[in-house]
Amino acid sequence: MAKAEFDVPELQEYVDVPEVEEGTMAHVKSFVVTKPEHNTDLGFPGELVEDWHDKALEKLDDLRGRYRSLQVFLDACVKCGSCTDKCQYFLSTKDPKNMPVGRQDLLRKVYRRYFTFAGKYFPKLVGAEDLTRETLDDWYNYYHQCSQCRRCSVFCPYGIDTAEISMAAREILDSIGYGQKYCNEIIAKVHKIGNNLGLPGPAIENTLEGLEEDMVDDFGVEVKFPLDVKGAEVLLVTPSADFFVEPHVDGLIGYGKVFHEAGISWTMSTTASEAGNFGMFIGSYENMRRVALRVREAALELGVKRIVFGECGHAWRVAYAFLNTLAGPFDFLDPDYPVPQHICEFTDDLIKEGRLNLDKSQNDDMVLTFHDSCNVARATRMGDKPGGQFEIPRNVIKAVCNNYVDMHQDTIGEKTFCCGGGGGLLTDDLMETRVNGAVPRMTALQNAMNEKGVTHMAAICAICKSQFTKVLPYFGMEMDQIVSVHQLVGNALILTTQKSEGDDEEQENDD
Amino acid sequence: MAIEVDGKSYEVDEEGYLVNLDDWVPGIANVMSAEDDLELGDEHWDIINFLREYYQEYQIAPAVRVLTKAVGKKLGKEKGNSKYLYALFPYGPGKQACRYAGLPKPTGCI
Amino acid sequence: MHRLIDLKRVAVMMVASVLLSFATAAISDSTVVEGSKAAGMDKGGCVAPQMDMRRNHMEYLKHQRDEVVHKGDRSSKFALAECVNCHASKDKKGHPVPVNAKDQFCDSCHDYAAVNITCFQCHRKVPEEK
Amino acid sequence: MSFFFALLFILASLVFVVGLTLKIIQYAKTPVPLKIVTTPAPVTKSGVVLRMFREVVFFESLFKSTKWTWIFSWVFHMALLLVLIRHLRYFIEPDAVPAVVWTLIELVQPFGMYAGFGMVLGLVGLFLRRVLVDRVRYISAPSDYLMLLMLGFIGFSGLMMTFVVHTDIVAIKQFFTFNGGQLPADFPLIIHLSLVALLMLIFPFSKLLHVPGIFFSPTRNQVDNPREKRHIVPWAKALEEEQN
């Protein structure tokens, strides 16, 4: 548990593309499932099966028949090298198996060996290799050093997405009982308790009651954080980290204030108390669907008309791009609103309608920048125009802050660098990978701090927020330099009946 | 894996968390913290005890805000913040203190 | 076993189709005016063997052009006028037909191979009247 | 020799057409269970057509990525396209197509001739990159080099025939249009044709599948409308019905 058991890379002015250095990250192995139920609860064998070799190949064959992406991506790569310098994990670890194509080839060489003519008869010629125990371990180690951020897919001339390959590889590993503890334990908790953290209903209730008390103490206003309220207009599904840690909870407070001020009745749910869906990380359609169905069931049970998702990156991907597929159709909801909506879309609409009284100066102690979270940036949209996922959160921030600047163009928008902790890597046993993966983002942030005086970085992803909280200190920065977007909204939002600071005079109501 | 406390062996998982919550004795916290070169004072014990009480009731560690609020109420407002907790438990009050208290590791997007 | 039979069948079909293609008419060689110098092809009739002319006539003509225009040397045996003399056919009335007219000597191949010829924008396309 | 090449090309064409067709059928039949388009992405079908057009014609993503690779590969591919169009003259009878088409084929000839240089130049660039850049060297298998060499020699032998050692193209055309022509026994031609046949033979079994592959790439060819329109494939539907 010593702080750094590895060399923490020093930030430079630029992130240079390094020369490859084989095997630098071969030793990094995330904890494997040791309690069989963490696998079996998800429908996988409890431990590595004896005939893993044949079972793994069977699964690969099955998957390439069910996912066109996998089949096409395994075939189409021409090894042009376009992706080789695009992955944050490669850029700072130099390990060529962390280059997107290097990572893909771990699976591709096995695919070629067993499923292609060239690989069956001329394996050496086309770089096909047998599936061995070493390969299997390489799969485990390196596919758990991919945050499935899709940065490589932006630059691939064929749109090959390493995330798809890494999801398939993890599903194969799971199917033979070689699961990762972090992801599988969490998915088991969601199935059993309803959220990633394993917060039982009473604990959530207790936490929310605490927040309501604070609202009264701080603003003299009864801002509610409703739980399991039937007949509410909106069901808010938010990452359970929003209940649990900072700065996430400040975002939750922000949502509460926005709902309160908008006068829209809302509720959260104890059973759907998690926006995240780690089923995606392990590539398991079945698990992803099971997790997603809780949202549908909660919405039906509570009789809401709209579903809004809180700040969470991969959750927004599952919500925006997959929810309709996994748990739709949502014809029982109000057709006037997209299903689901992102909290930023929700707030942005209210701001545009002028329904929020915002005092930007409340955030004057900060100069802000915005970290585009990978899944939001490259797998989803907000609003009705392409690229709305970049504009809407920025519009929200700019509406509540006076000081906003962007980081370098090549590190934001669709080219954004992952925080380094996405895709099921947000676990202490992968700290070396996480710290290394954060380097490009940290470099861009440091440059923005030095050149533009940035003090804080806002994000709309629970994983990003936790990852930065953890890794900022490795680079000599403060853990509280990362903030929630709705924390900023919450700061600036003046509640209609709010007592002004220092006195208890009642304020006039404007309408 | 296991740790030795007062001649008795306690099973811990690969991350050093106690496997059976009911096994917990205060000595475990002392041994674990000694390995981290941390000496537990009363302030630490306040936190550890609170964690254990909260866990008994809610089957989960308290949220950071719940914890800081409780600390603030008990020890004064100036201590009711996460900075204070991090000063006590540098590797994160949630994870480190939970380990000493014999609670399972809180995992998720945190 | 099944596979072997399939393989045989494919092979037979392929051989058959090749033979079929050979059976179709070969291009006629009758592009030379009867009784002309070139009619005695390969027997010293044309300025070079047919195989050579087919491949390299453009080089020879280009080369000859350079000799004439740059050096004033008209001794080369590759002269466009000579081509025209031998290869321009005559119509029913006995008038010479331009060599680049449709289906005539030059055109028949050049059109077939999608090659534009620009020689006759300047040069004569029928033999000089004697 | 003509007989041998006739057999070879019939076989190569069969393998090429059948193999590629089977692959395309496989791609088309394999379901896409989820919307996985790389965003920002077009929200309409016509937008997707435009995106694919930019991708296929201008190599948009590669342009974003690596300018050197883009220059070499774009020059190579575009030159190859011109060269291929130029080669149509060997397979099409002038009378078999409208005059306009034939005029176009005639017009493209000079461009196609010089495009050969662009093709070889692009290939040399790609080859050098593969050898010199350590990252690209790491990911290269022998076949990756051979593929470039093969295409390079095809281009080089073609250029030789165009500019240095001419061959009898009329005979070649008669050969390829089943008019009984005998292939001239010219060395560059033998190299050229053998390698082309080999290329056609390996096409459906190699990374050349990137040609059909790009059209089936879900991250590029999907419409970004998952909230508006429910997307579900048969196996997912079956799973849904089984579990409900």
PDB file of all heavy atoms in Angstrom, chain D residues 72 126 184 236:
ATOM      1  N   PHE D  72       0.923   9.190 -48.596  1.00  0.00           N
ATOM      2  CA  PHE D  72       1.371   8.006 -49.341  1.00  0.00           C
ATOM      3  C   PHE D  72       0.192   7.131 -49.740  1.00  0.00           C
ATOM      4  O   PHE D  72       0.095   6.684 -50.881  1.00  0.00           O
ATOM      5  CB  PHE D  72       2.353   7.189 -48.505  1.00  0.00           C
ATOM      6  CG  PHE D  72       3.668   7.882 -48.287  1.00  0.00           C
ATOM      7  CD1 PHE D  72       4.287   7.873 -47.045  1.00  0.00           C
ATOM      8  CD2 PHE D  72       4.285   8.562 -49.328  1.00  0.00           C
ATOM      9  CE1 PHE D  72       5.496   8.520 -46.845  1.00  0.00           C
ATOM     10  CE2 PHE D  72       5.496   9.216 -49.144  1.00  0.00           C
ATOM     11  CZ  PHE D  72       6.101   9.198 -47.902  1.00  0.00           C
ATOM     12  N   LEU D 126       5.042   4.021 -48.311  1.00  0.00           N
ATOM     13  CA  LEU D 126       4.432   3.143 -47.309  1.00  0.00           C
ATOM     14  C   LEU D 126       5.420   2.079 -46.851  1.00  0.00           C
ATOM     15  O   LEU D 126       5.473   1.721 -45.670  1.00  0.00           O
ATOM     16  CB  LEU D 126       3.175   2.485 -47.882  1.00  0.00           C
ATOM     17  CG  LEU D 126       1.998   3.428 -48.115  1.00  0.00           C
ATOM     18  CD1 LEU D 126       0.865   2.715 -48.844  1.00  0.00           C
ATOM     19  CD2 LEU D 126       1.482   4.000 -46.801  1.00  0.00           C
ATOM     20  N   PRO D 184       1.874 -12.522 -75.401  1.00  0.00           N
ATOM     21  CA  PRO D 184       3.269 -12.384 -75.814  1.00  0.00           C
ATOM     22  C   PRO D 184       4.190 -12.858 -74.683  1.00  0.00           C
ATOM     23  O   PRO D 184       3.911 -12.599 -73.509  1.00  0.00           O
ATOM     24  CB  PRO D 184       3.449 -10.896 -76.051  1.00  0.00           C
ATOM     25  CG  PRO D 184       2.128 -10.258 -75.824  1.00  0.00           C
ATOM     26  CD  PRO D 184       1.206 -11.239 -75.217  1.00  0.00           C
ATOM     27  N   ALA D 236     -30.976 -10.596 -30.405  1.00  0.00           N
ATOM     28  CA  ALA D 236     -31.271  -9.838 -29.190  1.00  0.00           C
ATOM     29  C   ALA D 236     -32.770  -9.888 -28.885  1.00  0.00           C
ATOM     30  O   ALA D 236     -33.194  -9.970 -27.735  1.00  0.00           O
ATOM     31  CB  ALA D 236     -30.802  -8.395 -29.351  1.00  0.00           C
TER      32      ALA D 236
END
